[in-house]
């Protein structure tokens, strides 16, 4: 069983729970590690666990029957996902792929639904989470259809700084240009060019192993 303080560190939602609820949550969570480029979940898999990213980076995406890929969201440390499918009891409707070595926290269905039935704080979190995730998905569809590459990169990066979906992020993001390209649906070379344009515009600063955000709101609205 994971420790209560460790749970609070990897799951911001647990900080609002009472002692009884924390004990139930920590008893229902196990951890598992995945290597870079490994499928964590595949579309159509049964949804047996609500999932959080402990360390690493993953991509939530799908591929059409014609072979066209679409990225829904990036998932950084602190992100929890899959509550919608868990509540509806349906198979997973997307793939989740580790973009680098990634460690997950997996909460079993029984624990998730116990919290859903017994914890007001947990339900408040779920409402906020579902609302933010819906907005994120709508934005991703809009950006993919209407924006040019630099603006897609800007908004893909900005989406990782949602304070509800990614509550413990700082202005420095440890991410490679290849990973940014994967999240934005473009090649690493194109991502490199887009990042240089955004740096020239004064919106971010490129650093070894990542980027530091300077103008978050301008990144969020790039291309408007």
């Amino acid at each position: 069983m994971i420790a209560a303080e460790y749970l609070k560190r990897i799951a911001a939602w647990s900080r609002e729970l009472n002692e009884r609820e924390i004990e139930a949550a920590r008893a229902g969570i196990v951890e598992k590690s995945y290597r870079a480029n490994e499928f964590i979940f595949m579309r159509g898999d049964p949804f047996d666990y609500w999932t959080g990213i402990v360390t690493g980076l993953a991509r939530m995406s799908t591929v059409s029957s014609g072979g066209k890929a679409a990225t829904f969201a990036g998932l950084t440390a602190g992100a929890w996902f899959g509550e919608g499918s868990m509540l509806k009891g349906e198979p997973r409707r997307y793939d989740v792929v580790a973009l680098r070595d990634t460690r997950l926290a997996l909460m079993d269905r029984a624990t998730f639904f116990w919290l859903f039935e017994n914890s007001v704080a947990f339900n408040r979190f779920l409402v906020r989470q579902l609302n933010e995730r819906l907005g994120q998905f709508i934005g991703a569809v809009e950006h993919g259809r209407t924006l040019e590459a630099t603006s897609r990169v800007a908004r893909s990066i900005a989406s990782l700084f949602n304070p509800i979906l990614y509550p413990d992020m700082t202005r420095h993001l440890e991410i490679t240009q290849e990973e940014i390209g994967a999240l934005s649906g473009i090649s690493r070379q194109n991502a490199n060019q887009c990042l240089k344009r955004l740096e020239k515009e004064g919106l971010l600063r490129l650093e070894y192993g990542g980027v530091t955000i300077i103008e978050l709101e301008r990144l969020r609205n790039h291309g408007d």
Side-chain angles (χ1 to χ4, degrees):
M1 184 187 298
I2 64 174
E5 288 305 312
Y6 179 72
L7 174 63
K8 292 178 181 179
R9 189 166 73 247
I10 67 172
W13 52 265
S14 69
R15 300 165 196 167
E16 302 179 21
L17 305 185
N18 62 37
E19 185 174 341
R20 179 176 178 233
E21 294 161 354
I22 288 173
E23 289 303 303
R26 56 191 284 254
I29 292 175
V30 297
E31 291 188 334
K32 188 174 180 180
S33 296
Y34 294 82
R35 302 300 299 271
N37 300 313
E38 186 177 356
F39 274 84
I40 296 171
F41 303 116
M42 297 185 70
R43 183 177 181 179
D45 284 348
F47 215 111
D48 296 325
Y49 297 96
W50 187 48
T51 310
I53 306 290
V54 178
T55 60
L57 178 68
R59 177 179 63 190
M60 185 186 296
S61 60
T62 189
V63 179
S64 71
S65 57
K68 184 175 182 180
T71 296
F72 298 134
L75 301 164
T76 60
W80 286 75
F81 61 95
E83 57 282 339
S85 294
M86 182 72 84
L87 289 168
K88 288 184 286 186
E90 65 180 15
R92 295 182 186 272
R93 304 187 66 179
Y94 48 80
D95 301 322
V96 178
V97 180
L99 295 181
R100 68 174 75 141
D101 290 355
T102 297
R103 188 164 182 80
L104 301 184
L106 303 167
M107 177 184 285
D108 62 56
R109 289 178 60 85
T111 302
F112 178 90
F113 279 104
W114 187 92
L115 289 170
F116 179 66
E117 295 291 341
N118 293 280
S119 173
V120 172
F122 188 69
N123 277 276
R124 287 175 179 159
F125 163 80
L126 288 180
V127 170
R128 295 194 301 267
Q129 174 95 342
L130 288 166
N131 185 55
E132 292 296 326
R133 188 70 74 192
L134 176 61
Q136 183 185 46
F137 286 172
I138 291 174
V141 172
E142 177 187 7
H143 304 161
R145 294 179 178 177
T146 64
L147 299 178
E148 49 82 31
T150 300
S151 295
R152 291 206 309 274
V153 168
R155 298 202 186 196
S156 292
I157 293 171
S159 72
L160 300 176
F161 290 86
N162 183 303
I164 294 176
L165 298 176
Y166 314 103
D168 295 327
M169 291 291 291
T170 67
R171 286 298 177 107
H172 177 76
L173 178 64
E174 293 184 1
I175 191 169
T176 67
Q177 294 181 4
E178 183 176 2
E179 291 165 346
I180 290 173
L183 294 177
S184 306
I186 61 177
S187 68
R188 185 195 65 78
Q189 291 81 3
N190 285 339
N192 175 267
Q193 295 173 4
C194 293
L195 288 167
K196 288 181 178 178
R197 293 189 194 105
L198 294 172
E199 184 177 45
K200 189 174 182 180
E201 293 176 30
L203 306 189
L204 52 78
R205 183 170 61 251
L206 298 178
E207 298 172 346
Y208 180 77
V211 297
T212 293
I213 306 306
I214 299 172
E215 294 283 352
L216 182 56
E217 286 305 313
R218 289 176 61 194
L219 279 174
R220 285 180 173 144
N221 298 299
H222 199 277
D224 284 349

